[in-house]
Amino acid sequence: MAEKIIIGSDHGGYKLKNEIIKHLQSEYEVEDLGCYSEESCDYPMIAKAVSQKVIGSNCKGILVCGTGIGMSISANRFKGIRASHCTDTFSARMTRLHNDSNILCLGERITGIGLALDIVDIWLSTPFEGERHKRRVDMIDGKV
């Protein structure tokens, strides 16, 4: 069974979200939690829905808005979520290696489609290194 990715966007990230879904569908099971048009909507509600699905599961999440910042702030309010706003491939790799990021946040208005898809691929394919980083992630999650 393919790994499951939970994805969501607001109206500012709607087009990029759909490009990401098309890009991932052949290798992943993708669950789209909205929005479903470019009509204005509230990003905190989408971030909440995706975060709740990711918490306690083996799934990773992707959130897209105009800048990625609002989604990142909203998602990180939930215990167990480590959402990372990435605008480059190095950050995408490092946030998985060292922080075990479980939600990737992107901005349609600041990151082009080609770069965004590269960021997604690197983020999804990079494993968590564990070891010394596990202790720090446990601190972030309030376990230590």
Side-chain angles (χ1 to χ4, degrees), residues 1-5 27-30 58-60 124:
M1 182 178 213
E3 182 180 355
K4 187 173 188 176
I5 308 299
E27 293 186 43
Y28 297 90
E29 177 187 347
V30 182
N58 265 348
C59 301
K60 291 184 183 84
L124 287 172

Side-chain angles (χ1 to χ4, degrees), residues 58-86:
N58 265 348
C59 301
K60 291 184 183 84
I62 299 174
L63 289 166
V64 188
C65 64
T67 64
I69 297 167
M71 286 294 198
S72 176
I73 291 169
S74 297
N76 277 316
R77 297 194 47 87
F78 296 93
K79 186 175 175 65
I81 293 299
R82 293 173 304 282
S84 299
H85 176 233
C86 295

Side-chain angles (χ1 to χ4, degrees), residues 68-109:
I69 297 167
M71 286 294 198
S72 176
I73 291 169
S74 297
N76 277 316
R77 297 194 47 87
F78 296 93
K79 186 175 175 65
I81 293 299
R82 293 173 304 282
S84 299
H85 176 233
C86 295
T87 57
D88 61 88
T89 56
F90 180 77
S91 297
R93 182 178 298 105
M94 296 310 291
T95 196
R96 287 288 307 131
L97 283 172
H98 290 187
N99 309 115
D100 199 18
S101 170
N102 54 10
I103 294 182
L104 172 64
C105 300
L106 297 166
E108 179 178 311
R109 295 176 186 148

Side-chain angles (χ1 to χ4, degrees), residues 108-138:
E108 179 178 311
R109 295 176 186 148
I110 62 172
T111 307
I113 292 171
L115 177 56
L117 297 179
D118 286 347
I119 289 169
V120 167
D121 288 344
I122 287 168
W123 186 79
L124 287 172
S125 66
T126 302
F128 177 48
E129 271 185 340
E131 298 181 18
R132 72 183 190 278
H133 304 293
K134 173 137 180 36
R135 178 175 48 88
R136 295 171 185 147
V137 169
D138 286 346

Side-chain angles (χ1 to χ4, degrees), residues 35-79:
C35 70
Y36 305 109
S37 75
E38 292 183 77
E39 185 177 325
S40 182
C41 65
D42 298 322
Y43 64 86
M45 300 306 295
I46 302 295
K48 179 180 181 179
V50 170
S51 296
Q52 288 178 331
K53 281 267 189 168
V54 168
I55 292 170
S57 73
N58 265 348
C59 301
K60 291 184 183 84
I62 299 174
L63 289 166
V64 188
C65 64
T67 64
I69 297 167
M71 286 294 198
S72 176
I73 291 169
S74 297
N76 277 316
R77 297 194 47 87
F78 296 93
K79 186 175 175 65

